Amino acid sequence: MSNNYKKNNAKTITISLVVILIAVILLNIYLYLSNQNRRNEYIEDTTKNSNVDVMTEQENGQKEEQSYEVELVEVPDWYIVGQVAVKGNQVCFSRDDGLIMENDVMPTTVTVYTSDDSGKLIDMTEYIIFESEELAKYHCERLNNYEDGTNSFGMAPGEAAYYYCENIMLEVFDKNYYQKEYETLQDVIDMYAGYGWLINYL
């Protein structure tokens, strides 16, 4: 009788331990998924809008810290390094050997031209992709220095705006600057074709 009691007792303890173990595993899975959801919501919130502070030099020589609210930076995922890609009302030109910066840093660049429905160019933005946020910030601050009248890209104040988000620095060209060269998206395509670049229509 006592042997049966011991066996039943041992069985009950084993079943109880298994149930507790399953409950602990399920609780851990629930907590993990909850944390992942919270993390994803946090990432979504922080990447939609992020404030970055950039030191810029004004025309009068005074330095001023400007804060930019940077929206989610989305480089088109259809660019082709070393070629020109055309998709809808956009042209992407990308290189990873065309820009040598201080300390021989060679970031990948993606220049994006966007037109309206009539084909008129309405935006020109270059995405300069560095290996780290520190490099993006450093070069962004250097390009916002106009003490010689132009920055290290040879741009004068007002011709382009520079800011960064994570490891990507953006050079957003003023329309008065790029419309001197190109009025339409076709002008851009013709320019690259004239230089011998392969044009890919996606």
Side-chain angles (χ1 to χ4, degrees), residues 136-174:
K137 179 181 180 182
Y138 174 77
H139 288 288
C140 184
E141 289 178 348
R142 298 271 293 168
L143 284 163
N144 278 296
N145 183 340
Y146 297 92
E147 63 185 23
D148 296 325
T150 58
N151 64 16
S152 58
F153 279 2
M155 303 291 284
E159 290 183 332
Y162 301 88
Y163 57 91
Y164 72 95
C165 184
E166 298 180 343
N167 66 315
I168 301 173
M169 187 184 76
L170 287 85
E171 182 177 25
V172 182
F173 296 89
D174 182 79

Side-chain angles (χ1 to χ4, degrees), residues 35-201:
N35 286 336
Q36 282 297 104
N37 285 338
R38 277 199 294 273
R39 181 178 177 275
N40 290 339
E41 287 170 8
Y42 172 77
I43 290 171
E44 188 177 334
D45 287 344
T46 54
T47 53
K48 278 182 181 172
N49 292 289
S50 173
N51 286 325
V52 294
D53 297 320
V54 176
M55 194 66 72
T56 60
E57 185 165 330
Q58 307 303 306
E59 291 182 19
N60 60 9
Q62 294 292 318
K63 290 191 175 178
E64 177 182 302
E65 189 172 69
Q66 293 184 338
S67 181
Y68 295 91
E69 187 177 87
V70 181
E71 291 185 359
L72 177 62
V73 174
E74 290 186 1
V75 183
D77 60 4
W78 43 271
Y79 70 86
I80 305 168
V81 176
Q83 297 180 27
V84 179
V86 182
K87 187 175 184 181
N89 66 330
Q90 288 188 309
V91 168
C92 280
F93 173 62
S94 176
R95 294 186 72 173
D96 59 5
D97 61 353
L99 182 61
I100 303 175
M101 304 191 77
E102 190 178 331
N103 299 322
D104 295 326
V105 172
M106 291 179 60
T108 297
T109 60
V110 183
T111 309
V112 181
Y113 304 83
T114 305
S115 72
D116 61 17
D117 291 340
S118 69
K120 183 179 179 181
L121 208 58
I122 57 171
D123 185 77
M124 178 181 171
T125 299
E126 184 165 52
Y127 301 88
I128 303 174
I129 306 167
F130 293 94
E131 290 184 359
S132 67
E133 182 172 346
E134 289 74 21
L135 280 173
K137 179 181 180 182
Y138 174 77
H139 288 288
C140 184
E141 289 178 348
R142 298 271 293 168
L143 284 163
N144 278 296
N145 183 340
Y146 297 92
E147 63 185 23
D148 296 325
T150 58
N151 64 16
S152 58
F153 279 2
M155 303 291 284
E159 290 183 332
Y162 301 88
Y163 57 91
Y164 72 95
C165 184
E166 298 180 343
N167 66 315
I168 301 173
M169 187 184 76
L170 287 85
E171 182 177 25
V172 182
F173 296 89
D174 182 79
K175 69 176 182 179
N176 292 321
Y177 175 80
Y178 62 76
Q179 286 183 350
K180 290 177 189 174
E181 298 288 330
Y182 323 107
E183 288 187 11
T184 67
L185 205 64
Q186 190 60 50
D187 291 338
V188 173
I189 295 168
D190 292 344
M191 178 268 296
Y192 283 116
Y195 285 130
W197 290 99
L198 179 65
I199 310 295
N200 295 275
Y201 289 89

